[in-house]
Amino acid sequence: MTLADDSPRTVTAPAVPAPPDPTPPPVPRRRGPSLSRNRWGYAYVAPFFVVFGAFSLFPFLFTAWVSLHDARLSDISGGTFVGLDNYAALLGNDFFWNALRNTITIGVLSTVPQLCLALGLAHLLHYKLRGRTFFRTVMLVPYATSIAAATLVFATLFGRDYGIINTALEAVGLDRVDWESGTLSSQVAIAVIVTWRWTGYNALIYLAAMQSIPGELYEAAEMDGASKWRQFLHVTIPSLRPTILFTVVVSTIGAVQLFGEPLLFGGNGATTGGARNQYQTLGLLMYQQGWTNFNIGQAATTAWAMFLIILAVVGSAALVGRYRARREGARR
Amino acid sequence: MTVRRRARAAAGATLALALLTTGCGGSDGGDDGDQITLTLGLYGTFGYEEAGLYDEYMRLHPEITIEQSVVAQSGPYYQALQTRLAAGSGMADIQGIEIGFVSDVAANHADAFVDFAAEENADELESQYYDWKWDQASTDDGRVIGLGTDAGPQAMCYRQDLFEQAGLPTDPAAVSALWPTWEDYLATGQQYLASPTRQEGSAFVDSPNSVFAPAVRQGDTTYADEDGNPVVEDSDGVQSAWALASQAAGDGLTARLAQFSDEWNAAFSNGAFATIACPSWMLSYITSQLGDEGAGLWNIATLPGQSESGSTWGGSWLGVPSSGEHVAEATALAEWLTAPEQQVRMFTEQGFFPSSSVAAESPEVAGATSDYFSGAPIGQVFGDAAAAVRRTPISPYDTQIQDAFSAALTTVADGSRDPDQAYADALAAIEQITG
């Protein structure tokens, strides 16, 4: 018994140490799997499962059920059963393929620069800089900004007639760009918003992973005469590989679900994603089907298609990860 | 000790469940004694509270307390109303119904609302309204699901200073005489565009939608036939409105702005366009965009083509869900709020144009002028417009169909589509809506 231990239990403990007891102390019953104790455990976890059941599992299954019906929003459970017709219609729907294409291009346009920038920023912040904590905190500010606020500000910046970006372009002698109405330009603009918002977040994740890379690796590399750049390529990147895979998966899921930015970028609340649907993503298409056109059966189908796409992406990422792990295991 | 720990564990679990369940609990307006609480579910700005109508009604009926809940935009409001209609519960005693979905409610949910055509005073109620307003809330079998509040008869607003600069007349009568028809309006637009003294960079009209939206409702059919079935390609309203609006867009008469976008809002104060179609509610929109600096800049002329037919955009009704607890009291309140005397007050105090012809013809409305709009006789302008409306059937998808055309016209205006392609785009989008 130490001096520091002054919990109430010690009050009842004998002041004088008792002589050693010849019989072994009885096994404490604490860890026994008795049901009467566990019952409270169930009670504690119940709220989670009630919430999960009500707000995740039930909607998930109900969405699947609705997707098999020709249902309107005002009569969700009264639609007629149409089997897989909604899925067949979706595959033959130009709007779906257009939205899928947009989702992929915006996803690539935002995810790739975002992760590259994050990696670079994390590397810089890994050095001993003056005011390092300040920079690290500042990087998380975009992430803490609401999507709506950020998008509205960016939409103003990208405005055709009165936007500051076009004013700047004009000032340096370039032509004004009608950001919103062009296909590539609108997608780039939206990708900029996404990149701005998520780069800092990913950089912090990379930074945390970098800090767990043992310093000896760098010392050894330095002794072998590797430059900082070579150290980055051959020490940092390989050590970060699982983290990079993680951020790729998370960013991809985010990209498939992209919704708020394209919805608000047009500025007039339209769910079309531009007059030619030039930046309508799958999430926005689903919203348009369900909540503008009130065709909730078709919207449920699109929701399930999105789920399957995410499942495929995550599944292939997991396969890649496992394949790499196995190959590296074999190499050792 | 076990007892205490168990009690604490039980308390913890109870608290967790309590937190969970209270989130779902409703707070039904309880009735204390004989006191009755009536609730109104509304969207946007109905302005009843601001005009003091609730206070007055509660003074007249001390046993009644009125509460309202307001959703900012009618779109989300209708989404919520639809889920409540699907569930058959959760509705207020009085629900606002907008022109964008009145036909859907009439076609699919008429049973959920009190039928005003079956009220004892139905003839008296009907006689107060413009016949098109009464008809738009009617079902095929003659039920009437709501009482009209305001209406949106349309005129054409124009910037006097920009007209003068471009060498066009500025007097409302002379300006109205410039465009008896839409073709004349487009010709005036060409004249404006060609004027050497025109303010640099200013367009004739804000958006092709300022041509399309009014013109489409001047045809015999808009988006639906007599039975409310969607007919888009065969509609004479659509055909003429598309021809006119796509011409305006293709000829560069518009400022290439999507209405209600941020750029459009900004363009008001920058004098980027000289005319805009003005439903009566647009006046307060312009006023709020321009503020005091805009006083005296704008004036109001007659809508092109009005001698054929007037045109309306917007307007609402009050419906009484028949599942409510206080249906009789709610019906009485809805009738009072929409009665001609109150519609007159809503016009003089809040600027909502009456859907009651009795109210519109009263001297307070008919003789009203607006200082902000250069003394324009707004009562008479909009009264004439409302009286000139021929009834056009509305369909459940009017809002979405119009948005599809409006988006397609935007692509013509910005040059990314030629008119035929854009028309095909619009039809494809409409098929997604009605199909």
Side-chain angles (χ1 to χ4, degrees):
Chain A
M1 186 163 303
T2 63
L3 278 174
D5 191 354
D6 57 348
S7 69
R9 261 186 300 129
T10 56
V11 175
T12 55
V16 182
D21 195 344
T23 56
V27 179
R29 288 183 53 217
R30 286 182 72 116
R31 308 251 169 256
S34 98
L35 192 64
S36 70
R37 280 188 179 284
N38 281 355
R39 239 183 297 167
W40 294 118
Y42 288 122
Y44 276 128
V45 296
F48 169 76
F49 282 99
V50 170
V51 173
F52 175 78
F55 296 107
S56 293
L57 188 64
F58 172 72
F60 185 75
L61 298 176
F62 187 66
T63 304
W65 186 81
V66 171
S67 75
L68 302 177
H69 291 76
D70 182 11
R72 316 290 306 180
L73 182 63
S74 60
D75 194 15
I76 291 184
S77 38
T80 47
F81 183 81
V82 293
L84 294 175
D85 282 9
N86 281 336
Y87 289 88
L90 192 69
L91 291 180
N93 187 332
D94 291 340
F95 290 87
F96 171 71
W97 293 110
N98 173 59
L100 181 62
R101 215 168 29 241
N102 291 343
T103 307
I104 292 172
T105 48
I106 297 178
V108 172
L109 284 172
S110 57
T111 307
V112 174
Q114 177 195 131
L115 295 184
C116 293
L117 280 172
L119 205 54
L121 279 175
H123 187 66
L124 292 179
L125 286 180
H126 195 40
Y127 289 115
K128 288 197 168 43
L129 294 175
R130 192 190 292 267
R132 195 159 63 158
T133 317
F134 171 76
F135 287 117
R136 287 178 186 178
T137 314
V138 162
M139 285 220 306
L140 214 55
V141 167
Y143 177 64
T145 312
S146 95
I147 296 184
T151 307
L152 292 179
V153 170
F154 271 98
T156 313
L157 296 183
F158 282 109
R160 181 192 68 196
D161 296 336
Y162 313 113
I164 196 168
I165 294 179
N166 272 348
T167 310
L169 285 179
E170 217 169 34
V172 295
L174 296 170
D175 284 339
R176 288 177 166 267
V177 177
D178 192 350
W179 292 98
E180 200 266 346
S181 77
T183 304
L184 183 65
S185 61
S186 61
Q187 297 193 0
V188 166
I190 288 170
V192 166
I193 307 174
V194 178
T195 306
W196 174 82
R197 191 152 185 275
W198 289 94
T199 300
Y201 170 83
N202 284 307
L204 285 196
I205 289 184
Y206 287 147
L207 184 61
M210 279 176 192
Q211 283 169 345
S212 67
I213 301 173
E216 299 90 74
L217 287 179
Y218 289 103
E219 284 167 23
E222 205 155 332
M223 263 194 278
D224 289 343
S227 65
K228 287 277 181 215
W229 174 241
R230 289 221 152 260
Q231 288 176 26
F232 177 70
L233 279 188
H234 294 287
V235 179
T236 311
I237 300 259
S239 311
L240 287 184
R241 211 168 260 146
T243 313
I244 292 174
L245 189 67
F246 166 78
T247 54
V248 167
V249 169
V250 170
S251 306
T252 310
I253 293 177
V256 175
Q257 295 179 333
L258 192 66
F259 172 73
E261 291 87 347
L263 173 66
L264 294 170
F265 185 66
N268 59 350
T271 52
T272 51
R276 288 176 295 113
N277 312 105
Q278 66 268 28
Y279 51 92
Q280 185 176 49
T281 56
L282 284 173
L284 201 50
L285 174 69
M286 175 186 77
Y287 187 75
Q288 184 189 26
Q289 289 169 333
W291 281 268
T292 303
N293 299 346
F294 305 131
N295 193 342
I296 200 75
Q298 195 63 61
T301 310
T302 309
W304 261 81
M306 285 168 67
F307 173 66
L308 294 176
I309 290 169
I310 291 177
L311 215 57
V313 169
V314 175
S316 48
L319 279 181
V320 168
R322 189 185 294 176
Y323 170 74
R324 290 206 67 97
R326 194 173 296 163
R327 217 178 52 171
E328 261 162 37
R331 212 189 286 159
R332 281 192 191 127
Chain B
M1 178 157 161
T2 16
V3 173
R4 258 186 56 199
R5 186 184 292 169
R6 192 177 286 182
R8 217 182 295 156
T14 318
L15 179 68
L17 280 173
L19 286 173
L20 223 143
T21 44
T22 45
C24 312
S27 55
D28 290 1
D31 303 337
D32 324 325
D34 300 331
Q35 201 64 28
I36 292 174
T37 302
L38 293 177
T39 54
L40 285 94
L42 306 173
Y43 45 81
T45 45
F46 270 73
Y48 290 139
E49 183 146 48
E50 294 81 347
L53 292 191
Y54 295 154
D55 287 342
E56 182 172 347
Y57 194 79
M58 288 191 275
R59 236 187 350 265
L60 294 171
H61 303 268
E63 76 283 5
I64 287 181
T65 309
I66 300 175
E67 288 172 3
Q68 69 169 6
S69 65
V70 182
V71 177
Q73 292 183 326
S74 64
Y77 166 86
Y78 185 44
Q79 290 158 12
L81 180 62
Q82 286 193 82
T83 53
R84 284 171 191 169
L85 283 167
S89 66
M91 280 182 283
D93 293 311
I94 295 177
Q95 294 278 177
I97 302 172
E98 207 226 352
I99 189 152
F101 47 87
V102 67
S103 148
D104 189 16
V105 174
N108 298 316
H109 304 287
D111 294 345
F113 289 91
V114 166
D115 175 12
F116 288 102
E119 293 288 295
E120 274 174 33
N121 55 347
D123 290 343
E124 188 199 332
L125 289 174
E126 183 174 358
S127 68
Q128 294 166 1
Y129 283 101
Y130 288 111
D131 51 357
W132 44 266
K133 186 74 180 182
W134 184 260
D135 285 346
Q136 283 174 334
S138 306
T139 67
D140 294 343
D141 54 358
R143 295 173 67 100
V144 173
I145 55 147
L147 293 176
T149 60
D150 61 326
Q154 306 204 60
M156 185 61 77
C157 292
Y158 64 96
R159 281 276 294 254
Q160 294 187 118
D161 55 334
L162 295 184
F163 266 46
E164 189 172 3
Q165 241 181 308
L168 291 171
T170 55
D171 173 62
V175 172
S176 300
L178 285 176
W179 52 58
T181 67
W182 281 103
E183 284 78 7
D184 299 326
Y185 173 81
L186 296 186
T188 311
Q190 294 291 1
Q191 209 184 321
Y192 182 86
L193 204 62
S195 162
T197 53
R198 163 177 68 104
Q199 174 172 312
E200 200 188 339
S202 75
F204 182 60
V205 59
D206 65 320
S207 152
N209 209 36
S210 263
V211 177
F212 189 85
V216 74
R217 298 198 176 275
Q218 289 171 312
D220 285 325
T221 52
T222 303
Y223 305 121
D225 62 14
E226 278 296 327
D227 303 324
N229 299 314
V231 283
V232 176
E233 273 180 281
D234 301 328
S235 156
D236 67 328
V238 169
Q239 282 171 358
S240 64
W242 177 267
L244 294 164
S246 61
Q247 190 192 333
D251 289 354
L253 299 183
T254 76
R256 301 186 296 143
L257 294 164
Q259 291 191 326
F260 305 102
S261 66
D262 297 337
E263 294 264 300
W264 184 70
N265 289 336
F268 273 100
S269 43
N270 289 298
F273 48 83
T275 64
I276 180 173
C278 263
S280 47
W281 45 262
M282 189 68 85
L283 302 190
S284 55
Y285 198 93
I286 293 176
T287 312
S288 69
Q289 286 302 324
L290 284 170
D292 292 340
E293 291 168 26
L297 288 180
W298 289 87
N299 207 326
I300 309 172
T302 313
L303 189 74
Q306 185 163 300
S307 57
E308 281 289 312
S309 171
S311 180
T312 66
W313 183 1
S316 296
W317 288 261
L318 294 181
V320 178
S322 43
S323 58
E325 258 183 85
H326 309 292
V327 171
E329 290 84 356
T331 308
L333 174 58
E335 287 182 10
W336 187 82
L337 285 172
T338 55
E341 304 80 56
Q342 275 63 251
Q343 291 210 12
V344 170
R345 274 181 63 182
M346 291 307 294
F347 177 75
T348 52
E349 291 178 25
Q350 299 284 318
F352 292 102
F353 197 80
S355 61
S356 155
S357 49
V358 174
E361 285 155 14
S362 77
E364 294 101 308
V365 178
T369 57
S370 164
D371 291 341
Y372 192 93
F373 287 85
S374 314
I378 49 175
Q380 189 210 329
V381 168
F382 290 117
D384 288 352
V389 170
R390 290 185 297 167
R391 183 194 168 236
T392 50
I394 49 178
S395 78
Y397 308 113
D398 278 15
T399 308
Q400 295 95 321
I401 293 175
Q402 182 141 322
D403 285 348
F405 278 119
S406 164
L409 286 165
T410 306
T411 65
V412 177
D414 69 26
S416 59
R417 283 280 196 271
D418 70 45
D420 290 345
Q421 274 177 323
Y423 190 67
D425 286 349
L427 291 183
I430 289 162
E431 206 191 309
Q432 296 293 307
I433 297 158
T434 59

